[in-house]
C-alpha cells in the first residue's frame, strides 16, 4: 500500500510524462504514513519500502501551564528486508519544571524493528508487530534504566480513510514509572490532490502499578513538500493534565526525507518500482 501511495503521489507531481523520464529517482516519501510521533503517537502496520532509507527529525514543545519543555527526535530507518524495517533513534531536549528550574539531556537512545505480519485483504486488516529497546539516558530528563516494548498494530482501509489500532506493553524501571500498557486508535485521510493528509488519534499509557493513566488527544497533517520530503505539523494535549481549565497543549513539527545509497542499497526506479 505504501508503494502504491508513493507511485500515485509521484505521478501527480511529475505529470503525464513521468513514465518517459530517462533517469531514476532514488526514493520517495509516503506523505500519508502514520508514523510514531510524526505527528501522532499511533502508527500504521506498513514498514517503509524494501531497500529504502529514511531520515526523520522533529520537535515537540509544550505551551501549557506547569511543566514546559522542548523535546527533539533524530531517527534513521531502512527497509532492511521485505516487509520489515529497522530504525535507530535519539531523543533529547530541555524541560522547565515549576519550582525546580530548567534541566536537559538525552532522554534515551533506541532501536526498533517493525515487521509487516500480514497484508490487508478484503476481509482482514493489515497487521504489524513492532519491537523496541532503549538505553538509559543522560542528564535530568534521561531514563534511569533500559526499556523494552512490544506493540501490535492493525490498519484497515475504508475507501480513502484508513483506521489504525495499536496495543502493546512497555517494560520500564521503577525509577521511570514502572511497566505500562499502551493503547491507541487513530485515522488518516488524504486531502486535495493526494499531496497532504490529516491524521488524528487518541492514545493512552496505563501504568501496571498504581498511578494515573497518561492520555493524549492529537491532530495533525503531513504535507508532501518534494518528491522525497514530507513536513508534518500537529497539535496535542495531555487530557489527564487538564486541571481547573488549564490545558497542557503541545505543538509538533517535523520533517521526513527518503533516500537511497548508491552502490550499497539500490532503491528501484519510480514510477514503476520493481524489486530485482
Amino acid at each position: 500500500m505504501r508503494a502504491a501511495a508513493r507511485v500515485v503521489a509521484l505521478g501527480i507531481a511529475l505529470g503525464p510524462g513521468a513514465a518517459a523520464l530517462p533517469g531514476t529517482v532514488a526514493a520517495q516519501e509516503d506523505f500519508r504514513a502514520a508514523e510514531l510521533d510524526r505527528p501522532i503517537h499511533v502508527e500504521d502496520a506498513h514498514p517503509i519500502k524494501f531497500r529504502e532509507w529514511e531520515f526523520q527529525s522533529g520537535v515537540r514543545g509544550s505551551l501549557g501551564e506547569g511543566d514546559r519543555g522542548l523535546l527533539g527526535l533524530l531517527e534513521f530507518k531502512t527497509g532492511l528486508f521485505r516487509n520489515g524495517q529497522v530504525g535507530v533513534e535519539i531523543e533529547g531536549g530541555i524541560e522547565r519544571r515549576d519550582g525546580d528550574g530548567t534541566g536537559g539531556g538525552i532522554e534515551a537512545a533506541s532501536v526498533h524493528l517493525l515487521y509487516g505480519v500480514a497484508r490487508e485483504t478484503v476481509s482482514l486488516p493489515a497487521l504489524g508487530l513492532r519491537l523496541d529497546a532503549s538505553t538509559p539516558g543522560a542528564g535530568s530528563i534521561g531514563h534511569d534504566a533500559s526499556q523494552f516494548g512490544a506493540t501490535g498494530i492493525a490498519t484497515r482501509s475504508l475507501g480513502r480513510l484508513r483506521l489504525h489500532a495499536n496495543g502493546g506493553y512497555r517494560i520500564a524501571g521503577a525509577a521511570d514509572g514502572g511497566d505500562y500498557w499502551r493503547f491507541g486508535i487513530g485515522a488518516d485521510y488524504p486531502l486535495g490532490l493526494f499531496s497532504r493528509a490529516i491524521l488524528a488519534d487518541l492514545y493512552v499509557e496505563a501504568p501496571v502499578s498504581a498511578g494515573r493513566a497518561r492520555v493524549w488527544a492529537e491532530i495533525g497533517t503531513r504535507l508532501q513538500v518534494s518528491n522525497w520530503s514530507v513536513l508534518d505539523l500537529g497539535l496535542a494535549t495531555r487530557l489527564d493534565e487538564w486541571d481547573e481549565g488549564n490545558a497542557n497543549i503541545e505543538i509538533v513539527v517535523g520533517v521526513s526525507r527518503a533516500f537511497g545509497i548508491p552502490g550499497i542499497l539500490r532503491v528501484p526506479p519510480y514510477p514503476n518500482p520493481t524489486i530485482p
Side-chain angles (χ1 to χ4, degrees), residues 34-36 40-44 164 166 184-186 201-203:
E35 299 177 291
L36 181 62
I40 62 176
H41 279 81
V42 169
E43 60 183 328
D44 64 45
H164 315 290
N166 292 185
I185 55 174
D201 77 344
L202 184 66
Y203 177 81

Side-chain angles (χ1 to χ4, degrees), residues 22 46 69 117 135 137 150 168 172 174 182 184 204 227 233 252 265:
H46 305 289
V117 177
T135 68
R182 300 189 290 184
V204 180
N227 290 340
L233 305 168
V252 183
L265 290 177

Side-chain angles (χ1 to χ4, degrees), residues 96-176:
R96 182 179 68 80
R97 299 179 178 177
D98 285 352
D100 294 334
T102 300
I106 302 298
E107 188 174 57
S110 308
V111 61
H112 78 263
L113 167 66
L114 174 61
Y115 182 70
V117 177
R119 296 185 178 184
E120 185 173 3
T121 67
V122 173
S123 57
L124 296 174
L127 300 176
L129 175 65
R130 177 176 173 130
L131 303 176
D132 292 89
S134 65
T135 68
S140 61
I141 68 170
H143 291 165
D144 290 322
S146 298
Q147 297 188 12
F148 305 91
T151 304
I153 306 169
T155 293
R156 181 66 173 171
S157 299
L158 299 174
R160 296 173 65 189
L161 175 69
R162 295 195 310 172
L163 302 178
H164 315 290
N166 292 185
Y169 190 86
R170 185 84 172 183
I171 300 173
D176 296 319

